[in-house]
Amino acid sequence: MLDRKFIVENAQLVQKNCENRGVGADVARFVELEADRKTRQVEVEQLNRRANEVSKSIGQAKDAQQREARKAEGREIREQVARLNAELDAIEAEQTFIQGTIPNMSHPDAPVGVDDKANLEIARGKSEPREFDFPPLDHVELGERLDLFDFEAGARVAGAGFYFLKNDAVLLELALQQFAVRTLLAEGFTPMTTPDLARNDVLQGTGFIPRGPETQIYSIENSDLSLIATAEIPLGGLLAGQTIDADDLPLKFCGTSHCFRTEAGAAGRATRGLYRVHQFTKIEMFAFTLPEGSEAMLEHLRAMECRLFDDLEIPFRVVDTATGDLGGPAYRKYDLEAWMPGRGEYGEVTSTSNCTDYQARRLNARYKIKGEKGTHFVHTLNGTAIAISRGLIAVLENHQQADGSVVVPEVLRAAVGKDRIEPVAHGSKQ
RNA sequence: GGAGAGGUGGCUGAGUGGUCGAAAGCGCGGGUUUGCUAAACCCGUGGCCCUUUACGGGGCCCGCAGGUUCGAAUCCUGUCCUCUCCGCCA
């Protein structure tokens, strides 16, 4: 969320930003409530002060009668305070609601536009999309020939959108994880595995909405836990409520987790295969920085994403995400879109965002500079290293051969244990 | 799952109804002394918010949320977390 003072002092800018992002938030109402809140806050504090004085005077009362009189006075003041506080609570609840609907401010260079059509291509990867001298298959067909997936069994067990990986797809998943984690480890990221569930206040702190008709989140009945949609959630929660030393920043983590998404409202959109599924494994980068360090960190995360996909010899483009497509917490976001021959188009494989202090404020993650008074909010950033499901699509479709085999990218060979994934001979299928 | 113990400032730890935002020690910052370092001694040292040009003043915060009371770190309820023992278990 944005700082209340900032919203009040920059109401016009905030309003304009909401429009650029296609969000209808009642900024004017918030400003109005803030004035109201302050007045009442001051009243409450004055009453508290008097009540405190009265309480202290009771010990010095000279007789029982005076004591009783002061008790009555104290009681009356506390009743007034209770009434005022109830009003204050109502005002604050409405403010918090509005505050939650106001997205982060946008980087001045982020392209302005209502949706992803306004996204701006800013770079391409080292690999060119291949010219196939045969009709390329999509990953579902490749997977069938190579016996890599079982979507029917996934549906039987957990419903449409779930799947089993099998045979070399499992080795590929492990290899992709190894590759990503090792690359990031060498760059100073601390590897972590995370809980696959998180408390709803952590979800909210990172800008996810655990319940409601539009939610992307599976929630656990009779608890305040939800399945995470990304390791960004638990990694962001790592510093929730903490104040850390400025000297310890930046902190860079790479988290391995499973990601669960209901994909509400996405029915019928690219539902074939692994592209849009309810569960996948993902290696995620996450960083906490000083405010002045977050822009450079975003470039670093983007560079890491590019490097990983270049090393996998997958063609991609990088887009600077338009304001309308940034979501709530991001100040600026880059997506990597890999070329997917089976679809004949680019498909999003990674996304990296600078959320500035937007998540940190709600998570209450702060830093302190030694010798200085007070604390400040850290900046948070996240970026996909590799989402296995979409990573598999890109690897399989781009490295397929005329004979139906798939060449394993150099960087994965040691972990997969072979150079090439061959079609399974008929009859040897298990 | 059952039984018990406990959550206090950066840390250790005192505090069981008022003068407690909180003893003491450690740590940290500053100073005195000192050839340098160290020791000793002295002073200072939490966060959030409101107000003030400044000096200052005020409110809230003892895991979290409620309750009792004129008054709660202290009593009551709920909740989260930690530890110990028993059971179960990968």
Side-chain angles (χ1 to χ4, degrees):
Chain A
M1 60 173 85
L2 292 181
D3 178 50
R4 28 167 36 114
K5 211 184 287 176
F6 178 87
I7 297 170
V8 170
E9 286 167 6
N10 301 276
Q12 304 276 309
L13 280 176
V14 173
Q15 183 63 54
K16 176 78 183 129
N17 182 56
C18 287
E19 283 159 24
N20 287 345
R21 289 196 174 221
V23 172
D26 199 342
V27 179
R29 173 76 179 152
F30 183 91
V31 173
E32 189 184 304
L33 286 168
E34 180 66 4
D36 214 10
R37 187 187 70 84
K38 261 195 190 166
T39 323
R40 272 156 225 262
Q41 185 68 52
V42 170
E43 280 178 62
V44 166
E45 283 179 13
Q46 280 167 353
L47 285 172
N48 273 337
R49 179 185 183 173
R50 266 183 53 210
N52 288 341
E53 283 165 3
V54 169
S55 290
K56 278 180 188 158
S57 77
I58 285 176
Q60 290 134 33
K62 49 180 192 279
D63 56 47
Q65 197 188 357
Q66 193 182 44
R67 193 187 314 274
E68 285 313 310
R70 286 189 182 164
K71 277 194 190 181
E73 192 186 345
R75 205 175 297 132
E76 199 182 306
I77 294 169
R78 296 287 174 185
E79 273 162 21
Q80 277 185 61
V81 169
R83 270 198 300 277
L84 267 174
N85 263 332
E87 289 173 26
L88 246 179
D89 286 349
I91 291 168
E92 280 177 2
E94 192 181 345
Q95 273 193 305
T96 304
F97 172 78
I98 296 171
Q99 213 175 354
T101 63
I102 298 174
N104 200 354
M105 298 305 284
S106 311
H107 191 286
D109 295 343
V112 175
V114 289
D115 60 23
D116 60 356
K117 288 184 198 73
N119 289 352
L120 186 69
E121 180 178 323
I122 55 166
R124 294 236 169 185
K126 286 179 187 158
S127 308
E128 289 291 319
R130 271 167 67 200
E131 293 293 333
F132 289 93
D133 50 12
F134 59 92
L137 303 177
D138 76 2
H139 70 283
V140 178
E141 288 173 275
L142 284 165
E144 247 163 62
R145 296 182 186 209
L146 302 172
D147 198 18
L148 298 178
F149 318 122
D150 195 333
F151 289 104
E152 286 93 60
R156 227 179 298 133
V157 168
F162 291 91
Y163 55 93
F164 288 78
L165 296 184
K166 49 195 293 206
N167 299 318
D168 289 330
V170 174
L171 294 176
L172 272 175
E173 155 147 6
L174 295 173
L176 284 166
Q177 287 190 46
Q178 278 271 346
F179 165 59
V181 172
R182 286 191 184 280
T183 303
L184 293 168
L185 184 56
E187 287 289 326
F189 288 77
T190 303
M192 305 274 253
T193 66
T194 78
D196 285 341
L197 279 76
R199 288 183 200 290
N200 289 335
D201 56 349
V202 175
L203 284 263
Q204 273 154 356
T206 39
F208 290 80
I209 300 140
R211 300 198 197 249
E214 292 289 290
T215 189
Q216 274 274 48
I217 303 289
Y218 288 103
S219 51
I220 307 291
E221 205 178 1
N222 300 324
S223 79
D224 71 334
L225 291 170
S226 297
L227 290 172
I228 61 171
T230 160
E232 174 190 347
I233 293 167
L235 290 174
L238 217 53
L239 290 188
Q242 305 290 303
T243 301
I244 71 159
D245 204 304
D247 294 342
D248 294 334
L249 293 172
L251 290 171
K252 300 195 292 181
F253 297 100
C254 74
T256 304
S257 79
H258 295 112
C259 304
F260 302 89
R261 302 185 179 184
T262 61
E263 298 298 346
R269 272 203 337 236
T271 49
R272 182 171 158 83
L274 289 174
Y275 193 76
R276 192 174 296 281
V277 288
H278 291 312
Q279 178 187 338
F280 56 95
T281 307
K282 180 155 66 81
I283 313 298
E284 176 83 353
M285 302 178 283
F286 197 93
F288 297 97
T289 71
L290 293 171
E292 57 269 31
S294 65
E295 296 217 22
M297 183 60 77
L298 182 67
E299 298 306 318
H300 175 51
L301 298 185
R302 171 169 72 120
M304 290 311 303
E305 295 182 357
C306 291
R307 191 170 128 198
L308 289 166
F309 279 82
D310 277 334
D311 285 355
L312 288 168
E313 301 161 68
I314 291 169
F316 63 86
R317 63 181 186 192
V318 183
V319 301
D320 197 341
T321 304
T323 49
D325 204 25
L326 285 171
Y331 171 73
R332 194 176 206 186
K333 166 148 67 173
Y334 300 118
D335 287 352
L336 257 64
E337 299 178 344
W339 178 247
M340 295 184 176
R343 288 158 42 108
E345 58 185 9
Y346 284 94
E348 182 182 330
V349 282
T350 76
S351 177
T352 184
S353 306
N354 179 3
C355 297
T356 61
D357 59 4
Y358 189 88
Q359 292 177 320
R361 184 167 293 107
R362 186 140 44 170
L363 287 167
N364 193 24
R366 298 161 176 272
Y367 70 90
K368 182 173 173 58
I369 298 170
K370 253 193 221 134
E372 283 188 17
K373 246 186 129 53
T375 58
H376 315 273
F377 292 111
V378 300
H379 278 196
T380 61
L381 299 99
N382 64 82
T384 318
I386 298 181
I388 303 300
S389 47
R390 290 191 182 178
L392 279 177
I393 296 173
V395 168
L396 294 172
E397 292 188 3
N398 282 293
H399 296 295
Q400 62 180 299
Q401 306 299 310
D403 64 0
S405 69
V406 170
V407 170
V408 177
E410 182 71 46
V411 290
L412 300 181
R413 283 183 194 166
V416 173
K418 55 178 79 169
D419 298 353
R420 186 185 284 261
I421 297 171
E422 309 274 4
V424 182
H426 219 64
S428 76
K429 262 194 179 184
Q430 290 281 318

